[in-house]
Amino acid sequence: MINFIMRLWGGFYPIPSHRSLASVSHDDALGGPTCLSLPGAGSVSGGQPVTVEKLVFARTGEPTELTCDYRTQPGPGFTVEWRHAAMGTPAIEARRVLYYNGKVYWVESWENRGMLVQNPPVQGSASIRIFSVQPSDAGLYICEITNPNDWAGSGPGLVNFTVLMPPSTPTCSVNGEAYPGNDITLMCLSSHAVPAPTYTWSREKNAIQLPLQNMVEDQQTGSLILRNLSAPFSGTYTCRASNELGGAICTVVLSVSYNSSAMVAGIAVIVTFVILLLLGAVMGYFLWYKKRNRKSTEEGHNPRDPRESASATPLTRSPGDRPPHHSGDGEDHLIPTKPSILV
């Protein structure tokens, strides 16, 4: 059973025939593949049939060249094909970039983005040049040389292309509630950066120095843990994401305050208590007033005290009472009589 051989750093890695090239991905090849060939099938003397630069690095916006050289002599049916598999995509899913069969064909998305270093590619070189590298260009490139008259001189070559990028503007966030005594985590993340960035946190120059044991910083993940919060933790925190190509920053403002929900709940309880107290006072006054009014009504229907009746002047006189004496001044004067003794 024939196996493919992938040359890696300092040795050879056999690819079982059930995997073959179809299952090779950019991650598999990232160790530094130089070429793929069929051993024992009549390889060309002096090296492999297809030679590529195993690892290529370029910055965003810069031009770069993907090298692919071959030894066979082109004849009828000679073809060159370049395919691209994005990061993490298996080689079998690689999409065609360029095809040559006597005429050069670029796919529409690449037509104005690159060129053949040697055109036509019939003098031992099928290398291509990318005018301006984009982040989406990163991944695995396959240079396939096919010569029906020389199968030993035919084969694929793998190129691992890495696009170097400075960190994109990171995003700062706060995980947790900034209440006194709580622990929170400040997060910082840059979505695009190659190589991976280093994250560092800082505060404004005049900020109060915080206890080191209350801060835990992870420069790889971008997290900053703040423990046992108090008022001095309030302020502006700045995160810087940086690599060899540059850096970018983001900020977050932290305000340590008491639990607003608890304050609102406390105020609600107090307001409710005051309202109930006022309602109780109104109800008490209403009951007192009603009771007082009932008492006054009952007293108006009850007979007078006998002593009050005795002391009151009688409305009628008894037969023995003398009539009042009329004096000349127009006033009536009672004539005193002797008291009678009742037996």
Side-chain angles (χ1 to χ4, degrees), residues 87 91 97 126 132 173 201 217 261 290-291 293 311 330:
M87 297 287 290
V97 173
S132 179
S173 60
W201 284 93
E217 183 181 27
S261 299
K290 186 175 181 180
K291 182 177 180 182
N293 190 42
S311 61

Side-chain angles (χ1 to χ4, degrees), residues 283-295:
M283 184 63 68
Y285 176 79
F286 176 76
L287 294 175
W288 173 83
Y289 180 81
K290 186 175 181 180
K291 182 177 180 182
R292 179 175 175 274
N293 190 42
R294 184 187 301 114
K295 183 176 180 182

Side-chain angles (χ1 to χ4, degrees), residues 272-288:
T272 302
F273 176 77
V274 171
I275 292 175
L276 292 176
L277 188 63
L278 292 175
L279 289 176
V282 172
M283 184 63 68
Y285 176 79
F286 176 76
L287 294 175
W288 173 83

